[in-house]
Amino acid sequence: MSIPKPLTVKQRTAIGIVFVVLLGIAFFQCFRTTFDLFWAFDVDFDRDMSYVQATLDGAYGKDPSYLHEYLWYNPLLFLIETGLVKLTGLPVNVVLVRAGAYLNLLGPICFFWMCLRLFDYKIALAALLSFLFLASGNIYLVLGATYMPWLYPFAFMLFAFFLDILLCYQAFTTQKISWFALLGLAVGITFLGHAAPAVIIVLMMISLQTSALITAIKQKQPVLVKKYIAQGLVAFLCFCLAAAPILYYVIGKYHLHIINREPSEYTEGLFFINNLWGLLKANFSFGFLIAIVGAIVFYRSFPRGLIRRIILNWWIISTSLYFYATLVAGLDHRYGIHLPAMVPAFHYFIYMKAVQSVFFGFGLVFLTQPIRKYFLPLVVLIAVAWFPLYAKREDFTQGRQKSIAKQESRDKVEVYNYILHNLDPNTVILCENDASLFPVMATGRKMVSNAYTFSNPYVDFDRRQADRITMLFCIKTGQQQPLRQLLSTYQVSYVLLSADALKEMTPEAPLPGRPVLRNNSFTLFALK
């Protein structure tokens, strides 16, 4: 490959303008989706609120939902959100729903920088066009690798993966031990935010280093063998150091003994093991076709070397992990066969979509060679022409509508505010399944049993769920045993019942306690 000519100031300015225009179009849509909202629609954000609230209450390292249990969820994003709450003075719910449009900008910025560093400006701009507007196809933005207004951890942490790719390139290019130390620290920090990208990078490092190690052994170069082993050990130690705020709990306290597998095996309908054809149809688009062309171009013409190995490892590892995680969930749900699991399959799928955008960049540059003089305005034209369809995506329209509906559910919001401002953070509340998600989980107060996908994987969910059902049944029927024993076991001091649950109580059943809050949908009882 010939060395490209240095860009002139005029060319750099034009590239910068196109980059800002693309990013500005996407930001405009994301900003207007959430700028005036007070609540985020998805229960994922209620989980994140619980961790932010627990940290504000001085309980970092504790499970915000279960008394006497420990942290199990990646802490980086909720620590940043906690800092934003303290900095701005805004309520937790407002920060979580409005900050995404700003914080998630790191993803496309770092993606563009990565592509610019590894390839050239045309591929970088074309890849960014795909990343922002095209790669998701007909699937939800949350299931693709893109910029969005919703502050999901896996959407926010995209930026860290792209920076890790650059650090990986730098470390293996320079072969300096200091860069491997920095790479290990960066991957450890990535793990604090999201496990999937860290796993991909770790496996990529193992692949690249093992290849170099085998070559050194074959060539009988013991100095290089020692050097490569030292690089790996330094990177590993630095990873452990950076990831210690979560490893201390999941290894030191729980010894990685997973009991509840649902948080790591949760599967969206689109990703069921028998729905491969549906997944392919949902991803089929002209952007996907251009990415296929780009993948062929990349494989056939991109020179052999480190960058090629990094990109191919990225694609192969993320695809393999996706199919492995899909197989793990399928075997468990269908046959009860337990294989090691870490995160749901769609978390790896996100990084398959990210590399799709890289390949799209190669494909668009290849297909537009006859009009390459007009490449920059063409990229802008595609973005502007696509915007009307982009703006009508359900991720924006329905997400906003659901968020507005949530903030208008005044009874739940009233219960949330009462619990938050009147109950001690270690208070245990017995409630029904729906209320456990919102309003109770979001308060950071404790409960008997959370929903299975949000329940601590190192705690026996089935036992807690069975005990909750038993207690609620006893309250409805007036049975005192085993109610009293279970209330004592879980240290329950409040009971939250829906209006429907109260109607189901038998005439002889006494109220579980003293009503301290009552509205049309709920009654909160104090047991003492």
Side-chain angles (χ1 to χ4, degrees), residues 12-280:
R12 290 177 182 273
T13 302
I15 293 166
I17 291 173
V18 174
F19 169 72
V20 171
V21 168
L22 294 182
L23 203 59
I25 292 172
F27 175 75
F28 169 75
Q29 178 57 34
C30 290
F31 172 78
R32 72 174 183 171
T33 300
T34 60
F35 77 100
D36 60 347
L37 296 178
F38 291 93
W39 292 91
F41 67 96
D42 199 337
V43 291
D44 282 47
F45 302 111
D46 298 324
R47 173 205 57 211
D48 295 349
M49 285 181 63
S50 73
Y51 281 98
V52 173
Q53 189 59 54
T55 307
L56 290 170
D57 293 332
Y60 175 82
K62 301 294 184 181
D63 187 326
S65 295
Y66 291 160
L67 191 65
H68 306 312
E69 297 296 342
Y70 298 100
L71 174 71
W72 62 273
Y73 194 75
N74 308 78
L76 181 60
L77 179 56
F78 75 71
L79 290 175
I80 293 173
E81 292 165 335
T82 303
L84 289 175
V85 170
K86 289 186 175 182
L87 181 66
T88 63
L90 293 171
V92 176
N93 51 291
V94 175
V95 168
L96 264 66
V97 74
R98 297 183 187 178
Y102 302 95
L103 292 182
N104 287 345
L105 280 171
L106 288 171
I109 291 172
C110 292
F111 179 76
F112 177 74
W113 183 25
M114 176 198 72
C115 291
L116 196 60
R117 180 76 175 84
L118 298 183
F119 311 115
D120 61 40
Y121 77 90
K122 286 187 176 181
I123 291 173
L125 287 173
L128 180 65
L129 174 69
S130 171
F131 183 92
L132 291 173
F133 305 110
L134 305 175
S136 295
N138 295 317
I139 65 173
Y140 287 119
L141 293 177
V142 71
L143 300 176
T146 187
Y147 167 60
M148 70 184 76
W150 311 111
L151 195 51
Y152 291 99
F154 43 80
F156 171 69
M157 289 305 297
L158 283 167
F159 87 94
F161 178 81
F162 304 137
L163 292 181
D164 289 345
I165 290 288
L166 286 177
L167 286 172
C168 189
Y169 172 71
Q170 189 71 15
F172 281 91
T173 298
T174 64
Q175 288 294 306
K176 292 182 178 179
I177 200 80
S178 58
W179 281 108
F180 279 90
L182 186 59
L183 176 58
L185 290 172
V187 179
I189 294 171
T190 301
F191 187 78
L192 288 180
H194 188 203
V199 171
I200 294 171
I201 295 293
V202 167
L203 292 179
M204 183 185 299
M205 292 168 61
I206 291 173
S207 173
L208 295 173
Q209 197 73 329
T210 300
S211 176
L213 192 60
I214 291 173
T215 300
I217 292 173
K218 288 181 177 179
Q219 295 176 352
K220 297 180 180 181
Q221 297 181 336
V223 175
L224 284 181
V225 170
K226 292 178 181 179
K227 179 181 179 180
Y228 296 151
I229 292 175
Q231 290 170 344
L233 287 175
V234 167
F236 173 73
L237 292 174
C238 289
F239 168 85
C240 292
L241 178 65
I246 181 68
L247 296 180
Y248 171 77
Y249 298 102
V250 298
I251 296 178
K253 296 294 185 180
Y254 287 124
H255 312 294
L256 292 179
H257 180 57
I258 295 177
I259 302 173
N260 171 30
R261 296 175 61 88
E262 290 302 325
S264 59
E265 294 182 357
Y266 173 74
T267 305
E268 294 278 348
L270 187 64
F271 296 99
F272 287 153
I273 196 169
N274 59 351
N275 193 34
L276 182 59
W277 178 241
L279 181 62
L280 289 174

Side-chain angles (χ1 to χ4, degrees), residues 263-474:
S264 59
E265 294 182 357
Y266 173 74
T267 305
E268 294 278 348
L270 187 64
F271 296 99
F272 287 153
I273 196 169
N274 59 351
N275 193 34
L276 182 59
W277 178 241
L279 181 62
L280 289 174
K281 287 195 297 183
N283 280 277
F284 188 81
S285 64
F286 88 90
F288 183 70
L289 293 176
I290 292 175
I292 292 176
V293 172
I296 296 172
V297 171
F298 176 86
Y299 186 79
R300 294 183 62 180
S301 62
F302 197 83
R304 296 184 180 276
L306 180 58
I307 295 176
R308 179 186 176 91
R309 295 200 303 273
I310 287 175
I311 299 301
L312 290 179
N313 268 279
W314 173 359
W315 177 69
I316 293 170
I317 291 171
S318 59
T319 302
S320 300
L321 287 173
Y322 166 73
F323 282 109
Y324 172 76
T326 302
L327 180 65
V328 167
L331 289 176
D332 188 8
H333 295 159
R334 290 190 175 194
Y335 307 108
I337 299 174
H338 293 169
L339 295 176
M342 182 170 289
V343 296
F346 77 88
H347 288 220
Y348 299 116
F349 181 80
I350 291 170
Y351 292 90
M352 294 168 60
K353 298 297 287 182
V355 78
Q356 176 186 318
S357 289
V358 173
F359 290 144
F360 177 93
F362 281 87
L364 188 65
V365 170
F366 174 78
L367 293 173
T368 57
Q369 282 182 350
I371 54 172
R372 55 182 175 272
K373 291 183 179 180
Y374 307 101
F375 183 79
L376 294 183
L378 176 64
V379 169
V380 175
L381 179 63
I382 294 173
V384 172
W386 195 258
F387 180 76
L389 295 175
Y390 174 73
K392 293 179 180 179
R393 290 187 64 104
E394 292 181 358
D395 310 87
F396 302 123
T397 58
Q398 290 193 12
R400 179 174 171 82
Q401 291 170 4
K402 290 177 181 178
S403 295
I404 293 173
K406 184 173 183 177
Q407 62 196 43
E408 291 178 348
S409 57
R410 293 182 174 82
D411 288 347
K412 285 189 174 183
V413 173
E414 182 184 15
V415 173
Y416 166 83
N417 284 315
Y418 182 89
I419 292 175
L420 181 64
H421 297 296
N422 293 279
L423 274 60
D424 184 83
N426 288 322
T427 299
V428 181
I429 304 168
L430 171 64
C431 59
E432 298 155 88
N433 186 67
D434 179 63
S436 71
L437 295 170
F438 186 74
V440 176
M441 180 170 63
T443 66
R445 274 50 182 168
K446 306 302 183 285
M447 63 183 84
V448 174
S449 177
N450 204 348
Y452 66 95
T453 51
F454 297 102
S455 187
N456 191 322
Y458 305 103
V459 173
D460 191 342
F461 167 79
D462 291 334
R463 179 179 61 81
R464 281 182 167 266
Q465 179 74 342
D467 289 343
R468 173 170 69 173
I469 293 171
T470 298
M471 283 187 274
L472 290 173
F473 177 78
C474 289

